[in-house]
Structure formats: structure tokens, C-alpha cells
Amino acid sequence: MPEILPSILSADFARLYDSVAPLEAAGCRMLHVDVMDGHFVPNITIGPPVVASLRKASQALLDVHLMIENPDLYIPAFAKAGADLISVHQEACVHLDRTIQLIRAEGARPGVVLNPGTPVSTLDDVLHLVDFVLIMSVNPGFGGQKFIPNALNKVRQLVQKRTERQLQFVIEIDGGVTLENVETVTKAGVEWMVAGSAVFNTVNPAHTFQEMTRLANAAVQIQA
Ligand code: DX5
Ligand code: ZN
């Protein structure tokens, strides 16, 4: 079944768990945590201490999206802080195969991320190593940007490669997912949908989360 992953980037950091608790009560099982270093992307967010605090407060799986240079230096700290899933950008990894192995060795599930300008073919030699592939549908750095439609072509290419090669990785998308496009995104083959501003910048984020989940589930059933 599809999952909506609220991105805490759009939550109120001063009241972080208070913002997340109603979502968990509404059935949210996965939270997306955006880590930015001010070098790989032009913004700075949070580090392992916040992940550790969230880990203590929340039951949800923590999906930690590293938008940082030299991710190998910080993967052990994020794993120890309680990250369940850790994804790294193809564009940030000189030794991508080694980095994926490091994430697994540290006890987290590894994923690899592609920026909008990076082709799917660059992952051909690592697809069998990852638990999930994250397609960026905005240029990373900020919440609240507009969905880049070409991301869905990349999703379709991944679905085809997964079938042809009989692989198991999950397909995730991040950026500009809203109530309006969640069905289209699901129908393209996405299983995990990150949503930041579309969830948190509404009057009732828990209700919006449930509505997005309902639309995604309905889109899968129509397809089946
Ligand atoms: C962007 C981040 C996203 C962001 C998505 O660099 O990786 O996770 O929070 O925000 P929305 O859903 O508002 O586009
Ligand atoms: Zn993200």
C-alpha cells in the first residue's frame, strides 16, 4: 500500500513532536527528515541530535534524506541516532557502492536519491544494492516548490527496470506532492510519497494526511 511521508521540514521546529503527534494518531507510519548542510544544497537544517530526540518521541519509521557532501562522515551518527532508512544523493557520492554498503552495515536501510537533472541510468550498477530509490521532483533545498513533471518519466523507467531485473526496491518521490497530484503520482508507480508543505501548511495537517492517504490508496485500487 502507498505511504504518505510527512516531511518535518515544513513543521514548526519549536514544537516538533507536537506537530507530528496528530499525524501519528491519524495513522502516519513514516516520517521524512531532510538533512541539509549548506554546501550540497543552499540551506541548513538539522543533524543527528534532532533525529535522536524524534526517535525517543515517535513510533514512526524515520526516513533520513541526506542532502550533504561527504555523507560517509555522518552516516554512522545518523544510524546511531535512530534513522531507520538513510538515503544519499548519487551526485554527492564518489564511491556510491561503498556508501550504500556503509548504510547497511550501520543497521539502516539504504536508499539512493536522484536530482531532477540526473538520469536514472546512473543507478544501473547499484539498483540491486538499495532498498529504495528516491526521485526528486523539485531541486532540493526548500519546501513548497512546484512539482517537476519529468520526475514521473523517471518513475516509469524505474518500474520497468525493476520488473526486467526482478528487483525489489521501493520507489519514493519527494517535492511538490499535493492533494491535487497524489493520484497521478501513485498511478505512475510511486509507493512512498513525501509531502511537506501540502501537509503542514494546512489548517488540519492530520486530516490532510488522511485525505492524501485515501486518494493514494484509491488510485492503487483503480489500477489493480
Ligand atoms: C526538498 C526536500 C523535501 C521537502 C518537500 O529539498 O527534500 O523533502 O521537504 O517539501 P514539499 O512537499 O513542500 O515540496
Ligand atoms: Zn526530502
Side-chain angles (χ1 to χ4, degrees):
M1 293 306 264
E3 297 279 348
I4 305 295
L5 287 77
S7 165
I8 64 162
L9 185 62
S10 292
D12 180 351
F13 281 1
R15 297 184 175 79
L16 187 51
Y17 189 65
D18 291 346
S19 306
V20 164
L23 299 172
E24 284 197 66
C28 168
R29 289 184 289 246
M30 300 176 77
L31 289 171
H32 185 80
V33 180
D34 286 309
V35 176
M36 306 185 187
D37 66 352
H39 294 275
F40 182 68
V41 288
N43 198 0
I44 300 175
T45 56
I46 61 174
V50 175
V51 173
S53 296
L54 207 50
R55 176 68 299 150
K56 278 189 257 168
S58 168
Q59 302 292 315
L61 291 175
L62 300 180
D63 173 35
V64 175
H65 174 193
L66 297 182
M67 286 162 275
I68 63 176
E69 289 180 359
N70 296 316
D72 293 21
L73 293 178
Y74 301 98
I75 285 164
F78 280 104
K80 282 180 189 63
D84 298 284
L85 305 106
I86 297 179
S87 59
V88 290
H89 274 257
Q90 185 273 359
E91 304 85 359
C93 295
V94 179
H95 303 289
L96 184 56
D97 181 303
R98 177 187 285 155
T99 301
I100 292 165
Q101 291 185 51
L102 173 64
I103 295 171
R104 211 180 278 289
E106 290 293 330
R109 294 175 62 190
V112 64
V113 193
L114 286 185
N115 278 336
T118 310
V120 170
S121 58
T122 58
L123 299 184
D124 279 352
D125 293 335
V126 296
L127 284 178
H128 60 294
L129 301 174
V130 295
D131 284 16
F132 63 107
V133 176
L134 172 48
I135 297 294
M136 290 308 301
S137 37
V138 297
N139 286 292
F142 305 95
Q145 302 181 79
K146 198 170 173 304
F147 188 88
I148 297 172
N150 186 52
L152 296 184
N153 294 328
K154 292 162 89 170
V155 168
R156 292 185 196 102
Q157 289 173 46
L158 277 171
V159 169
Q160 193 179 346
K161 283 177 193 281
R162 184 172 61 184
T163 307
E164 282 168 6
R165 295 174 56 182
Q166 298 184 309
L167 297 172
Q168 303 289 334
F169 59 82
V170 173
I171 302 173
E172 181 176 19
I173 207 161
D174 185 5
V177 177
T178 62
L179 275 169
E180 286 68 39
N181 64 18
V182 67
E183 289 172 279
T184 310
V185 169
T186 309
K187 283 180 188 159
V190 177
E191 286 116 353
W192 295 346
M193 280 149 284
V194 176
S197 52
V199 169
F200 286 104
N201 295 357
T202 55
V203 178
N204 187 340
H207 180 261
T208 308
F209 167 83
Q210 283 180 320
E211 191 58 10
M212 289 182 89
T213 304
R214 188 185 68 73
L215 290 169
N217 284 335
V220 169
Q221 275 151 21
I222 289 165
Q223 244 185 344

